[in-house]
Amino acid sequence: MAASIYPNYPPELSQDQEDYLLSSIKDWSIANGLVVRPAPSFISSTSDPSGVLAVTAPITLFPSPFPRACFEEAKSIQTAYNELYAAVSRDEDWLRGIVEELVEVDDFIAKLWEVHLAVKKEGYVQDLSLGLFRSDYMVHVDPSAPDAQPQIRQVEFNTIASSFGGLSSQVSKLHSHLLHTTAYPPTDTPIITPSSLPQNHSIPSLSNGLASAHTHYGPSKSSPPLPLCILFLVQDPERNATDQRHLEYTLQSTHHIPTFRLPFSSILTHTSIPENPSRPLIYTPPHAPTHPYEISTLYFRAGYSPIEYPTPTFWTSRLHLERSAAIKCPSILTHLAGSKKVQQVLATPSSPHLSRFLRDPVLADRVRTTFAAIYPLDNTPAGLTAKAIAQDAEKSRGYVLKPQREGGGNNVYRSAIPGFLASLGSVDEGKWRAYILMELIEPPALKNVIFRQGEVQRGEVIGELGVYGVCLWKAGLGGQVLENWEAGHLLRTKGRESEEGGVAAGFGAVDSVCLVDV
């Protein structure tokens, strides 16, 4: 970790000040939906057999300092990233070359590609794709350069189930509320001020994206016509349902669009495709079986991990959805575009691929400056260099090993890398190609206080900024981008000792930014 670039932070609290702050946080969170279902390790199922309880989401007591210039650059470049990944998903030939490197060593990627090929053979009936993206960054300060300025470095780009758009907006409002109600103690040089707390529009912006896809879907394709709806595909059980509900309720109250939730395991039970060349996807609500709906837009908040496909039936479900006329968020090709291998190919030093998708050289250079160095573990010159680093216990301390997976808990860090790779077998067996090696980002030192499961945790932390984006486009190389905008932000903060940052996976806390000029 680099030396701190921030002021002395956070403010010291007396016991009375801390008690008042925590009381305010707990009550505001419950009143405003900044909550999650409790983990079984916190409240057992025997204590809450009906699943009626909710607790304050893991959050920080204070907004975390973040360089203003880095924040503004991350926000302003999001539309370029939207354009980039829309272009990647439209270029099937290029994506095939990436996938073919992985199908022999990654069964999940292989299965996703098989779904695409099956639908392609039959013929796609929907050429529109929706992306609710999130590009994640950390602040990087080169520790070898004494006068180095902070810069953003991309951690990953998420194309499926980009979570916390609902809770991130609420935690920004919480921290602003705490400031305006004097819950934060006064300091000689105020850091937390109204101008340092940017508004966060992630709930309305992401909801607008879903509503836009719903509108572009057009009239019902069923005969006779059916009312249209948006369907959220979710995990069951889902501890983070409130985050999703904020978007769902906005769609219903602001856009007046019927919106429903369906567990990923119940797809074939409650959806169907009639004998109709347009292949509309019909949802029959179990609570109202005589009132079916035609699904305009499928929003995946599940289906991104191999463990969600325990039997062939789940792959049949994914094929069933993909061959339908519903607009998918994401489509199978967009899901594949979010693999870490794509990120590596774009970000490997001297890679020529970025200019294939971003023809504006100035824009491409801005995107390129956000890349951290990422390497394959193959037999290319870059891959052979990476293999040597990954097998060296000392050299590997500056790297993280990543598989092609979304969600927290999948990465291998630092000196644990050589042993993990050895457990996969010989370097020549090919299993190593399922991973990429990424140079660790060096964030500046920072302290904050995290409130999680009723406990207060103080210490050094690391923040990860996520910027949301909405993009709607037509498939194919000549496909047109119809909608493209930046859609709010998220700050996730974790203890410095924690390598992972996924809040839902149990590692981090939802935070908001306090902009500082450094």
Side-chain angles (χ1 to χ4, degrees):
M1 179 177 288
S4 179
I5 59 174
Y6 303 120
N8 188 30
Y9 195 85
E12 293 290 334
L13 298 173
S14 67
Q15 189 60 54
D16 286 342
Q17 289 171 331
E18 181 174 313
D19 290 345
Y20 179 75
L21 184 59
L22 288 172
S23 176
S24 299
I25 286 173
K26 288 182 284 189
D27 289 347
W28 194 97
S29 298
I30 296 296
N32 291 275
L34 184 51
V35 296
V36 294
R37 298 294 184 188
S41 58
F42 182 47
I43 298 177
S44 67
S45 57
T46 55
S47 299
D48 182 27
S50 299
V52 299
L53 298 182
V55 298
T56 299
I59 57 174
T60 58
L61 269 60
F62 302 91
S64 288
F66 199 92
R68 187 183 303 272
C70 291
F71 178 78
E72 292 175 349
E73 176 64 5
K75 299 271 278 187
S76 67
I77 205 171
Q78 183 60 36
T79 54
Y81 265 111
N82 294 346
E83 180 183 338
L84 170 61
Y85 276 84
V88 169
S89 76
R90 293 199 304 267
D91 195 334
E92 182 195 358
D93 288 341
W94 186 87
L95 201 53
R96 179 190 297 110
I98 300 297
V99 170
E100 287 177 349
E101 292 186 37
L102 299 173
V103 291
E104 295 181 2
V105 294
D106 193 311
D107 291 340
F108 187 59
I109 295 292
K111 287 288 189 181
L112 291 172
W113 187 249
E114 285 176 11
V115 170
H116 161 65
L117 292 179
V119 180
K120 182 182 178 183
K121 183 177 181 180
E122 182 181 14
Y124 276 94
V125 293
Q126 180 55 262
D127 65 352
L128 294 178
S129 293
L130 176 67
L132 298 190
F133 298 141
R134 195 186 71 223
S135 187
D136 294 337
Y137 307 93
M138 293 174 70
V139 175
H140 175 75
V141 178
D142 186 349
S144 65
D147 299 325
Q149 293 297 305
Q151 298 176 308
I152 51 170
R153 288 287 185 272
Q154 189 184 63
V155 178
E156 63 183 2
F157 191 89
N158 303 276
T159 64
I160 183 170
S162 302
S163 59
F164 292 104
L167 296 192
S168 64
S169 185
Q170 296 307 95
V171 78
S172 294
K173 293 177 182 177
L174 167 64
H175 287 154
S176 181
H177 166 79
L178 296 172
L179 171 64
H180 288 101
T181 56
T182 67
Y184 292 137
T187 58
D188 293 337
T189 305
I191 299 172
I192 309 173
T193 65
S195 63
S196 69
L197 301 182
Q199 291 188 345
N200 191 353
H201 54 91
S202 54
I203 292 176
S205 291
L206 293 171
S207 300
N208 286 345
L210 290 163
S212 178
H214 179 82
T215 299
H216 277 86
Y217 180 83
S220 170
K221 298 168 175 50
S222 300
S223 181
L226 291 174
L228 302 179
C229 75
I230 292 175
L231 187 67
F232 285 37
L233 296 169
V234 300
Q235 296 176 334
D236 186 23
E238 175 57 84
R239 291 183 52 227
N240 195 31
T242 305
D243 173 57
Q244 302 161 9
R245 291 286 194 181
H246 283 297
L247 305 186
E248 180 183 340
Y249 297 155
T250 301
L251 286 166
Q252 293 166 339
S253 62
T254 301
H255 300 280
H256 310 294
I257 299 173
T259 305
F260 301 98
R261 300 166 62 81
L262 182 66
F264 194 66
S265 58
S266 300
I267 290 168
L268 295 179
T269 304
H270 298 297
T271 70
S272 60
I273 299 176
E275 291 294 328
N276 180 326
S278 296
R279 289 186 231 144
L281 184 62
I282 311 304
Y283 173 59
T284 304
H287 66 279
T290 59
H291 293 82
Y293 288 81
E294 181 177 333
I295 301 166
S296 70
T297 308
L298 282 167
Y299 179 35
F300 284 80
R301 292 297 294 260
Y304 54 84
S305 170
I307 64 173
E308 296 179 88
Y309 299 80
T311 69
T313 300
F314 288 83
W315 286 109
T316 302
S317 298
R318 187 66 185 268
L319 173 61
H320 168 74
L321 299 176
E322 195 68 19
R323 64 185 292 270
S324 78
I327 296 173
K328 270 70 71 175
C329 180
S331 68
I332 206 89
L333 289 179
T334 309
H335 187 170
L336 286 163
S339 68
K340 301 301 183 293
K341 182 65 178 179
V342 169
Q343 184 187 10
Q344 173 259 301
V345 169
L346 295 173
T348 296
S350 302
S351 168
H353 296 281
L354 185 61
S355 58
R356 178 187 181 101
F357 302 110
L358 292 179
R359 300 301 176 88
D360 182 339
V362 175
L363 199 59
D365 283 344
R366 284 182 64 194
V367 168
R368 190 176 287 109
T369 59
T370 68
F371 290 157
I374 308 178
Y375 303 93
L377 291 177
D378 56 21
N379 291 324
T380 63
L384 294 174
T385 299
K387 287 179 181 180
I389 293 171
Q391 295 177 87
D392 187 302
E394 185 60 34
K395 291 180 180 178
S396 64
R397 293 178 64 84
Y399 292 84
V400 54
L401 190 71
K402 293 187 174 186
Q404 316 297 322
R405 298 286 176 267
E406 300 293 343
N410 297 305
N411 300 332
V412 182
Y413 290 83
R414 305 179 190 272
S415 56
I417 294 173
F420 174 80
L421 288 175
S423 73
L424 297 180
S426 168
V427 66
D428 298 320
E429 288 186 14
K431 294 181 180 179
W432 291 28
R433 288 187 285 123
Y435 295 83
I436 56 107
L437 190 70
M438 179 176 178
E439 195 171 42
L440 279 172
I441 301 165
E442 296 288 348
L446 176 65
K447 293 182 179 181
N448 206 331
V449 185
I450 292 175
F451 181 62
R452 169 187 280 278
Q453 296 185 356
E455 295 184 357
V456 175
Q457 304 165 351
R458 293 178 172 82
E460 293 190 351
V461 297
I462 298 172
E464 190 170 303
L465 177 72
V467 179
Y468 296 100
V470 169
C471 195
L472 180 70
W473 67 92
K474 286 191 173 183
L477 287 176
Q480 178 185 5
V481 173
L482 304 175
E483 306 283 0
N484 184 7
W485 65 78
E486 174 265 316
H489 61 274
L490 160 72
L491 190 65
R492 288 174 298 167
T493 293
K494 59 187 178 183
R496 181 183 176 183
E497 70 281 358
S498 171
E499 300 283 16
E500 297 283 359
V503 180
F507 302 108
V510 188
D511 195 352
S512 73
V513 297
C514 178
L515 300 179
V516 294
D517 296 302
V518 295

